[in-house]
Structure formats: C-alpha cells, structure tokens
Amino acid sequence: MTQGTGGSDKTAGGFVKSFGCQMNVYDSSRISGMLGEAGYTAQQGPDGAEVIVLNTCHIREKASDKVFSELGQIRALKEARAARGMSTFVGVAGCVAQAEGAEILKRERTVDFVVGPQSYHRLPEMLARARLGERSLAIEFETQEKFDGLRQRGAAPPLRLISAFLTIQEGCDKFCAFCVVPYTRGAEVSRAPEDIVHEAEQLVAAGVKDISLLGQNVNAYRCETGGKRWGLASLFERLSEITGLERLRYTTSHPNDMSEDLIAAHRDLPKVMPFLHLPVQSGSDAILSAMNRKHTAGAYCGLIERVRRARPDIALSSDFIVGFPGETDADFRATLDLVREVGFASAFSFAYSMRAGTPGAERRDQVASDIKKARLLELQGLLEEQKKTFNASFVGRNCEVLFERRGRHSGQIVGRTPQMLSVQVDGPESLIGSIHDVVIERPGANSLFGRLASERQINEAAN
Ligand code: SAH
Ligand code: SF4
Ligand code: F3S
C-alpha cells in the first residue's frame, strides 16, 4: 500500500510516500505536517518536489527491496533538477531506515537524511542540515520524545477526513521469531491518555467521526496517571464520552493481550465497532510455539468464542504466515482447520520471508519457496471463499453506513458499515459525514452495493 501526503505553502513542494502499515500512514501525515510548518506545499508525486521522504517498511523482503528501486528513480529526478540548478533533499524514514541506517547513506549518495520511526521530532533539524549540505542519521529509540513532539505540535488537520488514525502505542516486546518490528520500533511504549483524548477531540472538531486507534500491539496499551491505571478498555470508555465521535476501532491486537474487560467493551460500549483484527499466524501448536507466539490454536479459538458471545455480530480478521521454518503439510492443514473453525470476514496472508537478525532466519529447516507458494494459494482460496460468504450474508439486510467520500461514478457515495465493509449507494454528497440506513442489494468484488433505506433521507438531505 502506498499513499502520498504533504505540507502547506506556495514556495516549494514536499512529497511523502508511505509504505507498509497504518502506523506509517499516520506517521507520514505527521511528517507532512512538519514539512508544512517548514514551508513546503503538499504534493501528490515526487516530480518537482524539493523535499522527498520515503516512509519505508521492512516487514518482508519485497517491501524492503522496493525502497532501493524507488531511490534509483529519485536519484534520476534529483540529477535532472540539479542540472537545472535546483536542489532536492531526499530522506528515508520508517522501518528500513531503522534497520539499515548508515548502510543506506553509504549505498545511496542521493539520500540526505535517514530517520528512524522514533526520531521524527528531529526532522526539522535534519532538513536544516541537509540545506547546509550535511547528511545525517537519527535512529535512536526516543519514543517518549516523539510522543512529546506530537503533543506540542498537536494533530495535523486531517483534511476533511471522516475517519482517521490515532497512534496510542508503539513498539513491541513480543519477539515473534519471524518479525522485525521489535527491532525497528523498539519496546512497547504507550501515550498518555490525556494526550490521546486531546488529539481525538481535535480530530472530531475537524469533522472526524470514526477513529482507529493504532499500535503495533494496541491492546497492550497501558498507562498509569493520576492514580488511575488505564488500559484499552478504559480508554475506550473515556473516548466514548466525546460528543460527535461515532465510531471507535483499533488495530493491531495480540491474542495474549485480549483482556476480559476489552472483550466486555465490545458488548457494553456502542461506539466500539464490531470488528476485530486478531492475528493468529498459524493453526498448528508446534508452529505457534516455534514462532514464539505463546498461545495455542485452542486458546485462540476459545478467545474467539468469548468475543463472539460478547458481540455476536462481530467481523473477525486475521494475519497468517505459511511456510515458517519446519512447517509440515500437517501443520499447514491445521491452519486450514483453524480457518474453517473460526470463519473469517477478511484476512491477510503471507509466505514466510526470512528477515536477517530474527531467530526464524537462523533455522536450517526453511520451507522451499514452491511449497510456500502452493500453501499460500490454497489458504488464500479458502479465505476468499469465507470473505465472499461473509459479504453475501448482508444481502437484503439493513446496515448503518457512515458515508466517507464520493464514489468513482457521479451520483455515487461510499461509506462503511460497522463491520468495516465498504458500501456504495446512489445518493447526494450532503450525506457524507453522517450515518444512514442502507439496504444491501448485492456484493461486489471489494465492496457491497446498496440503496438508501429511506428515499426521505435523500430528500431531507437535498433540502
Ligand atoms: N503487530 C502486529 C502486526 C505485525 S506485521 C501483530 O502482532 O500481529 C503484520 C503481519 O505481517 C504479521 O501479522 C505477520 O502475519 C506478517 N509478517 C511479519 N513478519 C513476517 C515475515 N517475516 N514473513 C512473512 N510475513 C510476516
Ligand atoms: Fe511482530 Fe509478533 Fe510483535 Fe506482532 S507481536 S509486531 S508479529 S513481534
Ligand atoms: Fe512495516 Fe514497520 Fe509497519 S516494518 S509493517 S512499517 S511497523
């Protein structure tokens, strides 16, 4: 996934390209905000931009490779601009920056600064140094300083967004044997609840109705302040009090941090939406143990049962890895069994990718890539079938849709159901930003099609 965001002035352009997870999308909007403060106008592409920042992802090999091919193209742009007497400053941010640090500066002359995810508060200074011809590197773990920087700067205006991300926690202490995140994002650190509430209020004042709380392990959120112990459930309770905020979501969670009070929040707090992304990775206990996930397949299924009891209409989503070292055909079948038992609304699935520095990469029993490919195809076939079944189950039903934007065709508007399904209807743009009942008529490839439940809604909105 890539997305461009930028800053605000008329002198020079700034372009930020985001790769990887939602946390990077959130960080990219903050980086754009900083570029805006430094006088750069938001740009949708790198052409003509004086500052280009790639906010990178290190999670799988292909994701990292993209950065260097992208930098090759940027080098050509920079040289063309230099020939016309114009300077260009190129930065690499995000998880590849954290993991490869000095190596990037050595390998790519075109890069002026490399900044890890916990050091974005240093960006203005690094940009100033780049303007003086100095190259710089900042990859210290300074999460608290980063959060303080966010507080001082406040939330960047979300530019007419109806739904927005809000980072509440960063880092990971879990050390799953396949994963680079604990090394690129550092230890788990939670933001203070008052800062989160303040940022949420700013977002709502700017028109946001649906907030997704973000964290690498968002349900590990904990903070002690003012004699109170906060967890994700108490944070949801507090955020639910914000008038005008309609919907709350969160991602990504770890099964072992799925506390009973968080499960209860799904039952008791109407603003907490019936959607849960809860990665399981594998259905085999042997593989789960080798992955250092610290729970069994049975424990995961038991957890899902309790969640469903609390919120029967919940949509479940997950992440899967096939071909972790040592995975046998029987292990893989156990994953298929778990998928059949749970029944997912959606999921992401990946072939295991060896990451240097992680325990998985040290193992000698790597699975051949053609086996990984075949397993991935089979798993994706099953998950796709489940997704279709889930989507089709809404046909003929009434859904509360929060409209977020215009559709591709004129007269069409697009929104999302509580279960995060995208819905397209014919309706006036004036409905964007509010929730309306929609009768679902048919499922499409990636979204549902429906009609507004009441014609009266259209007429009222039009007048
Ligand atoms: N913190 C989250 C997400 C981490 S990254 C969590 O714990 O679930 C998102 C997903 O990428 C992971 O859930 C995993 O399925 C996948 N992933 C991570 N490392 C990987 C690797 N080395 N190879 C393949 N997939 C990987
Ligand atoms: Fe990676 Fe595991 Fe941490 Fe998720 S919980 S970020 S998969 S180490
Ligand atoms: Fe990628 Fe870093 Fe996110 S590795 S998935 S950008 S935490």
Side-chain angles (χ1 to χ4, degrees), residues 50-54 67-82 87-92 103-114 130 134-136:
E50 188 176 295
V51 178
I52 300 171
V53 179
L54 300 183
V67 179
F68 289 99
S69 80
E70 195 88 21
L71 282 173
Q73 292 169 25
I74 290 172
R75 192 192 321 127
L77 272 179
K78 186 167 173 169
E79 284 165 3
R81 278 172 59 86
S87 38
T88 315
F89 307 106
V90 179
V92 177
E103 199 49 43
I104 301 175
L105 285 175
K106 226 189 277 166
R107 195 168 142 186
E108 263 302 342
R109 289 295 313 164
T110 202
V111 175
D112 298 285
F113 55 95
V114 173
E134 277 178 47
R135 304 173 85 207
S136 56

Side-chain angles (χ1 to χ4, degrees), residues 59 172-176 178-182 216-217 254 281 293:
I59 202 84
C172 178
D173 298 339
K174 304 282 190 291
F175 292 92
C176 299
F178 49 81
C179 184
V180 294
V181 172
Q216 261 91 36
N217 270 299
H254 191 286
Q281 314 297 355
R293 290 291 290 182

Side-chain angles (χ1 to χ4, degrees), residues 213-393:
L213 303 183
L214 298 183
Q216 261 91 36
N217 270 299
V218 73
N219 59 345
Y221 176 84
R222 48 188 57 89
C223 188
E224 269 194 67
T225 170
K228 185 175 160 138
R229 261 198 204 162
W230 293 79
L232 188 54
S234 44
L235 191 61
F236 275 144
E237 236 173 86
R238 175 63 188 86
L239 291 172
S240 288
E241 291 168 11
I242 299 176
T243 313
L245 175 58
E246 308 280 356
R247 295 179 167 189
L248 285 162
R249 305 177 186 278
Y250 59 110
T251 199
T252 297
S253 297
H254 191 286
N256 291 354
D257 290 314
M258 206 64 215
S259 62
E260 291 306 316
D261 62 347
L262 181 55
I263 297 177
H266 275 285
R267 181 192 62 213
D268 301 334
L269 300 175
K271 291 186 183 180
V272 176
M273 287 295 104
F275 180 88
L276 175 61
H277 181 67
L278 194 63
V280 63
Q281 314 297 355
S282 168
S284 150
D285 286 347
I287 294 299
L288 284 170
S289 163
M291 284 176 164
N292 194 30
R293 290 291 290 182
K294 297 197 174 87
H295 64 79
T296 59
Y300 182 87
C301 292
L303 181 55
I304 293 299
E305 236 179 83
R306 295 203 296 287
V307 170
R308 280 202 164 124
R309 229 177 288 138
R311 190 77 212 233
D313 63 343
I314 202 159
L316 294 165
S317 154
S318 200
D319 291 346
F320 296 90
I321 295 178
V322 299
F324 184 78
E327 186 185 72
T328 62
D329 202 47
D331 292 320
F332 173 61
R333 301 279 141 215
T335 299
L336 297 176
D337 289 344
L338 180 137
V339 172
R340 283 190 200 99
E341 181 173 342
V342 174
F344 290 97
S346 60
F348 298 101
S349 46
F350 313 98
Y352 170 71
S353 169
M354 247 167 105
R355 310 307 289 131
T358 62
E362 308 286 304
R363 292 190 44 162
R364 293 182 170 191
D365 47 355
Q366 300 290 331
V367 174
S369 77
D370 55 337
I371 295 182
K372 287 197 262 193
K373 269 187 208 149
R375 287 181 185 165
L376 187 60
L377 269 179
E378 189 172 352
L379 175 62
Q380 288 180 338
L382 175 60
L383 290 166
E384 189 58 30
E385 227 175 79
Q386 293 196 336
K387 179 175 151 189
K388 278 192 185 141
T389 308
F390 183 78
N391 290 355
S393 73

